[in-house]
Amino acid sequence: MTTPDSARKTRRGSWWLAAGVLLLLAAALLAGKNLWQQHRAAQSAGELLALAEARLEQREDSPAPPEGGQEEAAAGEALAGYEVDGILTIPALELSLPVLADYSEELLRVSVCLYSGTGGENPQQMVIAGHNYRAHFGRLGQLQPGDTVTYTAMTGAQSHWRVAQVEEISAQDPAALEQGGWDMTLLTCNLDLSLRLLVRLEQADAAG
């Protein structure tokens, strides 16, 4: 015989079970969305990188214009509807990424972006921002002082960099990003978005 108390307990148990199932489904949907975003980010950056590398190879194979007739190269290169400023290469992470010349949340889903500063052939106080997708800047925290980085402008000019330090700042302290006057900083966020991871770079000569 079912008593009122046992019926209430049964209903309560069924409610908790249903709530648990809904939470599991929500978690699975969120994980699936994250995985899809990561996949799309890797695919988008890879496709754009291939276009940028092909454009650089094409430029290398083209005959040089007559002396005095060369026009100043554009800061970026329009590829597949995106303005690409250059290619960032991080050997320690086996990572190469096209750097978009503009910054927005939408563009960050495609590849890393020039957040502030000047890019191109003569980078100055350049901050390159990227999401913490594994295919983008998700492994920046693995870099160590002394690791090397190369930046290739879309003109083909290369600049060489060395990691000086890796630090974290609060997401509520954006002014800390500008401290130190670094010529190049790589920027991403941690998983809960409360901190910003900064890789500070100093310029090194090509032989270094």
Side-chain angles (χ1 to χ4, degrees), residues 44 47-48 51 55 77-84 110:
S44 298
E47 291 172 353
L48 200 56
L51 290 173
R55 184 63 58 87
E77 191 84 22
L79 298 170
Y82 299 101
E83 190 77 8
V84 178
V110 176

Side-chain angles (χ1 to χ4, degrees), residues 18-148:
V21 170
L22 288 174
L23 286 173
L24 287 173
L25 286 173
L29 287 172
L30 180 60
K33 179 182 178 181
N34 288 338
L35 287 173
W36 172 247
Q37 287 178 339
Q38 298 252 9
H39 171 74
R40 285 296 303 152
Q43 186 177 46
S44 298
E47 291 172 353
L48 200 56
L49 175 64
L51 290 173
E53 290 177 334
R55 184 63 58 87
L56 285 171
E57 289 178 7
Q58 184 182 46
R59 180 162 285 132
E60 289 176 1
D61 293 339
S62 299
E67 186 175 351
Q70 184 175 5
E71 296 181 358
E72 185 177 350
E77 191 84 22
L79 298 170
Y82 299 101
E83 190 77 8
V84 178
D85 185 80
I87 297 174
L88 180 75
T89 303
I90 309 175
L93 303 180
E94 298 183 343
L95 184 67
S96 288
L97 289 167
V99 178
L100 301 180
D102 299 310
Y103 172 87
S104 71
E105 284 299 318
E106 181 180 354
L107 291 175
L108 283 175
R109 298 188 186 99
V110 176
S111 191
V112 299
C113 299
L114 180 57
Y115 177 78
S116 64
T118 303
E121 293 188 351
N122 299 296
Q124 296 179 17
Q125 296 186 333
M126 188 179 191
V127 178
I128 301 175
H131 275 316
N132 57 15
Y133 302 143
R134 182 172 176 81
H136 288 186
F137 275 178
R139 295 180 290 143
L140 281 189
Q142 298 176 18
L143 291 176
Q144 300 292 326
D147 287 339
T148 59

